[in-house]
Amino acid sequence: MISRRAMIAGGALALAGWRSRSAHAESDAFLPQGLPDGVYDTAILEALPGKRPLIKLSYRPPNYETPLSYFTSPFTANDSFFVRYHLAGIPEEIDAAQWKLTVGGEGLAQPLELTLSDLRTNFDAIEVAAVCQCSGNRRGFSEPHVPGVQWSFGAVGNARWKGTRLRDVLERAGVRREAVEIVLNGADGPVLDGTPDFVKSIPLGKALDENTLLAYEMNGAPLPHYNGFPLRLILPGWTATYWMKHLISIEATTKPFTGFWMKNAYRIPNGKFPIVEHFLSQMTAVNEPITEMVINSMITAPAHGDTLRAGGTAEIRGVAWDGGYGIRRVEISTDGGDNWSEAELDDDVGRFAFRVFRYAFTPPRPGRYQLMARASNAIGQMQTAKLIFNPAGYHNNVTRPLTVDAV
Amino acid sequence: MMRWMLICGLLMISDRAVRAEEAIALKDAPGRDVVAGYCGACHSLDYPRTNARFLDRKGWENEVDKMIKAYGAPIGENDAKAIVDYLAANYGADR
């Protein structure tokens, strides 16, 4: 189907000609409306090694998002999964046989050094289906726009993650009573000495949760390089900032970790978002670290600008997710939010996973229709209709309409 | 110093990425080389290009300040001003 918007844009550009025609006409086909101008001028579809063409927002460090049209199943394929790095010092290749994870810190009784084979053979293997979503997913839609990677819908994916429970590893090392946080570091790092290495911490309670994994497999295959090979943290329900890639070190601390990426970055203003789980040892009087994902959904078909047949039935399909409380209902509006009807939900594949929804839509007459989806969960939360602005553009779960025409 | 930073940055990435990155054209205007040299040492130049055109001069000042104070970019006062001037003039909201 040819995007109506691409056609209109192409025509307008031919007339106006003030912007690079090829660049804009091209990005228009895979980018939604509402992003900063510069994104349409710069973003391209490009394949990293081992990946399908994704939307390239930056080369170095690589930040590539999944086009909406790729979300055709509840699980996101490894070659379609988004890529996000903070710092450009990325390991080119990692030899899994030589790789080691160090486990230590003053909060543990017995330091350990583990190989990948230790993890695979000496611990139980657990598999969890979970959504991995960048805290800044949809930042590009913020009004007003805020600086950062200008993500649209695609800094999110759902996969089956298999690995060792972090709890089992910590228990083997002996968690001391004084332990407060678990600090995680990966093999990627900064270009300059003066740039803080990307290091994160999580509360001890989350580290000991049965769903928190050190994953070496994703959807039945080794992790792709750009998704953290050979080992990454999986923290179901919480945003991807904690899901440390290329994991090389785990430390239990007896004091709150004070690194830049905890103390200064990835913080949200207190009290603005409906958050159940807080990171208590990192809270201040004004802000707190981002924690669980807010409830969200996206329509994956039809696409913005598609043409449907009046009187014919089309399926509106998409996925919904939250912080693990359980999607209970997804409602669809075909008139821009005035009226809502309940969609059908596919089988639940896990409370941390995408929940697929479907709705049979028969446009009664020719014309333009504004399609929207809004999800609610088992603890009574619903997506917001109005943006909850915050300076870093986190937690954007606004119900966004897309437009289709029936002829 | 600038050349050293650029070399360090480029060594980290593959030839393929370097070639693709070279296609990112910043607007040819005064200050372009200072921006390419300093900013390009740690990240590709599509960062400023995608973050356009919504930051006013103050907004770009804050970004450059963050790169210096939070991320340790060794940029002197005059070069920092040249970078802000260029970004505000070419990728700013108040063009």
Side-chain angles (χ1 to χ4, degrees):
Chain A
M1 238 173 301
I2 296 172
S3 150
R4 182 187 158 82
R5 179 160 182 254
M7 285 165 58
I8 293 170
L13 279 166
L15 290 173
W18 57 279
R19 214 183 240 167
S20 154
R21 183 192 304 188
S22 57
H24 190 244
E26 197 184 306
S27 64
D28 215 64
F30 53 79
L31 287 172
Q33 290 172 297
L35 302 168
D37 290 350
V39 181
Y40 301 100
D41 293 341
T42 320
I44 55 166
L45 280 177
E46 205 209 47
L48 286 165
K51 293 280 183 184
R52 291 172 72 187
L54 302 178
I55 302 171
K56 188 281 297 176
L57 292 170
S58 72
Y59 284 112
R60 179 169 55 94
N63 285 296
Y64 289 66
E65 68 170 274
T66 308
L68 208 42
S69 64
Y70 288 13
F71 292 99
T72 53
S73 64
F75 289 97
T76 315
N78 292 4
D79 63 4
S80 303
F81 220 90
F82 77 100
V83 173
R84 197 274 181 268
Y85 283 89
H86 300 81
L87 305 171
I90 296 170
E92 279 273 314
E93 267 178 53
I94 293 177
D95 180 355
Q98 298 297 315
W99 177 91
K100 285 190 176 65
L101 174 69
T102 62
V103 182
E106 55 187 5
L108 296 179
Q110 176 66 52
L112 303 174
E113 191 172 75
L114 300 168
T115 64
L116 207 58
S117 146
D118 290 334
L119 287 171
R120 281 182 176 273
T121 54
N122 300 334
F123 295 88
D124 290 342
I126 306 294
E127 194 171 60
V128 175
V131 170
C132 175
Q133 177 181 231
C134 173
S135 311
N137 193 27
R138 308 190 185 185
R139 173 183 292 122
F141 300 128
S142 179
E143 292 172 12
H145 290 303
V146 293
V149 178
Q150 299 298 323
W151 302 108
S152 70
F153 291 107
V156 63
N158 180 45
R160 292 188 177 91
W161 312 93
K162 186 175 168 187
T164 308
R165 282 195 179 110
L166 175 55
R167 179 173 79 185
D168 293 349
V169 170
L170 293 175
E171 279 174 2
R172 192 155 306 184
V175 182
R176 292 177 51 211
R177 185 184 293 271
E178 297 82 7
V180 179
E181 294 180 6
I182 301 298
V183 177
L184 308 145
N185 195 9
D188 50 330
V191 174
L192 302 175
D193 289 345
T195 307
D197 190 10
F198 184 65
V199 181
K200 298 291 291 188
S201 69
I202 58 173
L204 181 66
K206 285 302 280 185
L208 298 178
D209 188 290
E210 61 175 354
N211 296 300
T212 303
L213 303 184
L214 304 175
Y216 39 74
E217 278 184 23
M218 177 176 172
N219 293 321
L223 290 170
H225 180 76
Y226 289 102
N227 297 106
F229 182 85
L231 192 77
R232 85 178 294 177
L233 185 84
I234 304 303
L235 196 61
W238 283 31
T239 70
T241 183
Y242 299 103
W243 298 39
M244 186 62 68
K245 300 187 290 296
H246 315 294
L247 197 56
I248 51 170
S249 133
I250 294 173
E251 270 187 47
T253 61
T254 55
K255 290 192 190 75
F257 176 65
T258 56
F260 170 81
W261 296 97
M262 289 309 304
K263 227 179 144 201
N264 305 88
Y266 285 102
R267 291 200 156 247
I268 56 171
N270 286 350
K272 270 199 157 185
F273 295 98
I275 297 301
V276 178
E277 289 191 352
H278 300 273
F279 194 157
L280 297 174
S281 54
Q282 290 281 347
M283 291 183 77
T284 72
V286 292
N287 61 30
E288 60 176 309
I290 195 167
T291 53
E292 65 195 17
M293 293 179 281
V294 293
I295 186 166
N296 219 336
S297 69
M298 59 185 172
I299 293 174
T300 56
H304 181 75
D306 277 357
T307 301
L308 310 180
R309 196 161 53 80
T313 300
E315 186 175 71
I316 298 175
R317 197 176 58 231
V319 293
W321 66 97
D322 71 349
Y325 301 101
I327 295 299
R328 176 147 300 173
R329 189 168 71 239
V330 176
E331 294 163 287
I332 300 293
S333 173
T334 59
D335 57 8
D338 290 341
N339 295 285
W340 296 89
S341 311
E342 200 158 333
E344 282 181 43
L345 300 181
D346 278 10
D347 287 345
D348 188 349
V349 297
R351 66 189 175 101
F352 299 109
F354 277 160
R355 188 79 187 263
V356 174
F357 63 84
R358 298 165 193 278
Y359 180 80
F361 172 45
T362 308
R365 63 191 73 83
R368 179 157 287 190
Y369 293 87
Q370 300 269 335
L371 310 185
M372 297 167 84
R374 74 176 180 203
S376 347
N377 68 7
I379 57 168
Q381 297 173 328
M382 186 191 274
Q383 276 178 260
T384 181
K386 196 169 168 291
L387 177 75
I388 302 171
F389 180 83
N390 63 107
Y394 297 140
H395 279 333
N396 188 323
N397 66 340
V398 178
T399 47
R400 282 188 73 78
L402 64 86
T403 303
V404 295
D405 286 310
V407 292
Chain B
M1 172 59 94
M2 234 169 74
R3 214 179 108 206
W4 174 83
M5 283 168 65
L6 194 61
I7 290 166
C8 277
L10 294 181
L11 279 177
M12 300 266 182
I13 49 175
S14 69
D15 288 350
R16 183 193 60 80
V18 172
R19 279 198 304 276
E21 258 196 66
E22 280 170 357
I24 306 168
L26 283 181
K27 272 182 212 162
D28 191 7
R32 183 189 175 284
D33 292 348
V34 184
V35 171
Y38 278 114
C39 308
C42 292
H43 60 77
S44 47
L45 298 172
D46 36 20
Y47 269 86
R49 286 201 52 190
T50 51
N51 278 269
R53 310 172 174 84
F54 57 89
L55 292 173
D56 59 12
R57 191 185 166 81
K58 183 75 199 146
W60 278 119
E61 247 171 42
N62 290 342
E63 288 307 293
V64 173
D65 202 46
K66 182 169 78 187
M67 297 304 157
I68 296 168
K69 292 199 177 120
Y71 296 101
I75 308 175
E77 212 173 300
N78 289 345
D79 286 334
K81 187 180 174 300
I83 292 170
V84 171
D85 286 346
Y86 174 88
L87 292 171
N90 296 287
Y91 296 100
D94 54 351
R95 287 170 294 153

